[in-house]
Amino acid sequence: MPVPRCSGPCGGVRPAALRRPRTGGAVCRSCFCNAFEAEVLTTLQTGRLLPPGAIVAVGASGGKDSTVLAHVLRALDARHGLELDLRLVAVDEGIGGYRDAALAAVRRQAARWQLPLTVVAYADLFGGWTMDEVARRAAQEPGRARACCTFCGVLRRRALEEGAQRVRATHIVTGHNADDMAETVLMNFLRGDSGRLARGGTLGSPGEGGALPRCRPLQFASQKEIVLYAHFQELDYFSEECVYAPEAFRGHVRDLLKALEAARPSVVLDLVHSAERLALAPAARPPPPGACTRCGALASRSLCQACALLDGLNRGRPRLAIGKGRKGLGEEGEEQSCASKDRGRPIRAGAIQAF
Ligand code: SF4
């Protein structure tokens, strides 16, 4: 079958390189990349996410999402004078055989783009606990799944906040994409977590309780288009699976979402927009958050989830901190802060390209 001409702004000067998963339109590489960047700019501007002069900590995992995010923000900043001061912040969870290679990718990006890089490690921040140590300790509780991603999600969020504070950032951005957001919405429904559902639809958090404002500029970009953008821009990123990812509940939710997407291609964005419009009855809303008595972070009890988790680890009972009753403040959540979202089945551009 002959390759169609591009239906984008170039007016068919070039042959189409792909059919956009999002719109179905056949476009060339150049028109696709321009449209992708323009859509991220619209997200930034519509949500007023990053004001001029913002010092932006980019949560950098070395994976495709944060790599594309940093690349697009640099491009938009240069082209549109956004006056952003970008700084990469990477988290070393202490996962042997996995994170070292991912951090090497982040270091290459920092050098290539001449962006300052700060690496914060769980072991330094959390009294010597690495994710491997947490997993070992969790496995000692008989008859229970380890729930590594639940522990890791809590600690990652705290670690990224610490790293961002160290580089004197005013804002944090993460590479969560539309597929991640849809998975999170579905997961929260399945867990009956009304508090997180009520908060999950916004483009980020405003920075309550002394925390920095966070946002997700790729929230409306599909995973497939992010992979294609990275491919066309020849970005160097890391795409291996975290060793603990196969244990995660999110993997089951992802499989369910893929099955739903086959029947209804718009289901990912439909879910993201559903969460935006969701309003909880007053009686279902979580109580206003307080402050952790130990570290001052947002907390639904006297200790925030990270402090409670570390307490539980040190007492040999890590699961104490993730029981029911802690939902609703954005503290808890399986993989909520994980930037390593290529778990399970990394998507390759060659598997998506139509032409
Ligand atoms: Fe942490 Fe992500 Fe690995 Fe889970 S998949 S253990 S959240 S790095």
Side-chain angles (χ1 to χ4, degrees), residues 93 95 98-99 122 131 148-150 152-153 156 242-245 248 334-340 343:
E93 301 91 344
I95 301 175
Y98 168 70
R99 190 45 91 193
Y122 281 9
M131 199 51 223
C148 290
C149 293
T150 306
C152 190
R156 279 190 60 83
C242 170
V243 291
Y244 300 118
E334 183 172 323
E335 306 164 51
Q336 294 294 344
S337 301
C338 179
S340 311
R343 291 176 296 275

Side-chain angles (χ1 to χ4, degrees), residues 22 35-50 56-59 65-66 68-70 72-74 76 82 84 86 171-178 181 202-205 213-222 226:
R22 182 170 178 168
F36 183 93
E37 290 168 5
E39 286 159 8
V40 176
L41 181 64
T42 300
T43 302
L44 289 175
Q45 291 177 332
T46 306
R48 298 182 181 170
L49 301 181
L50 300 174
V56 183
V58 182
D65 302 290
S66 60
V68 165
L69 177 60
V72 170
L73 288 179
R74 281 184 79 245
L76 293 176
L82 302 182
L84 303 179
L86 301 175
H171 293 72
I172 297 174
V173 294
T174 58
H176 294 90
N177 61 42
M181 299 309 300
T202 59
L203 277 162
S205 56
R214 289 184 183 229
C215 62
R216 301 179 286 260
L218 300 183
Q219 178 164 327
F220 301 115
S222 76
I226 287 171

Side-chain angles (χ1 to χ4, degrees), residues 1 23 35 37 41 75 94 128 199 217 283 294 305 311 329 336:
M1 199 169 71
T23 63
E37 290 168 5
L41 181 64
R199 299 166 61 97
R294 186 169 300 167
Q305 187 129 33
D311 240 21
L329 292 180
Q336 294 294 344

Side-chain angles (χ1 to χ4, degrees), residues 4 29 41 63-64 100 126 140 175 179 198 205 224 237 240 244 269-270 314 317 332 340 349:
R29 293 178 177 212
L41 181 64
K64 66 182 187 321
D100 290 348
F126 305 127
Q140 290 167 6
D179 295 68
S205 56
K224 289 175 184 170
Y237 67 88
E240 296 305 316
Y244 300 118
L269 280 180
D270 289 345
N314 291 326
R317 301 187 65 191
E332 181 183 7
S340 311

Side-chain angles (χ1 to χ4, degrees), residues 55 70 73 141 146 151 170 176 190 197 199 298 307 310 318 349:
I55 302 172
L73 288 179
E141 288 192 76
R146 289 191 297 180
F151 297 126
T170 57
H176 294 90
L190 294 173
L197 275 171
R199 299 166 61 97
L298 281 183
C307 289
L310 291 169

Side-chain angles (χ1 to χ4, degrees), residues 131-215:
M131 199 51 223
D132 285 338
E133 283 299 322
V134 173
R136 263 192 286 279
R137 180 61 61 88
Q140 290 167 6
E141 288 192 76
R144 304 287 300 269
R146 289 191 297 180
C148 290
C149 293
T150 306
F151 297 126
C152 190
V154 171
L155 299 179
R156 279 190 60 83
R157 187 175 179 87
R158 173 61 55 85
L160 183 55
E161 180 75 26
E162 286 284 338
Q165 299 272 7
R166 279 186 196 177
V167 302
R168 302 184 188 285
T170 57
H171 293 72
I172 297 174
V173 294
T174 58
H176 294 90
N177 61 42
D179 295 68
D180 302 320
M181 299 309 300
E183 286 166 14
T184 299
V185 172
L186 196 52
M187 200 160 68
N188 288 335
F189 265 115
L190 294 173
R191 295 159 69 199
D193 192 339
S194 56
R196 288 202 65 84
L197 275 171
R199 299 166 61 97
T202 59
L203 277 162
S205 56
E208 302 160 276
L212 293 170
R214 289 184 183 229
C215 62

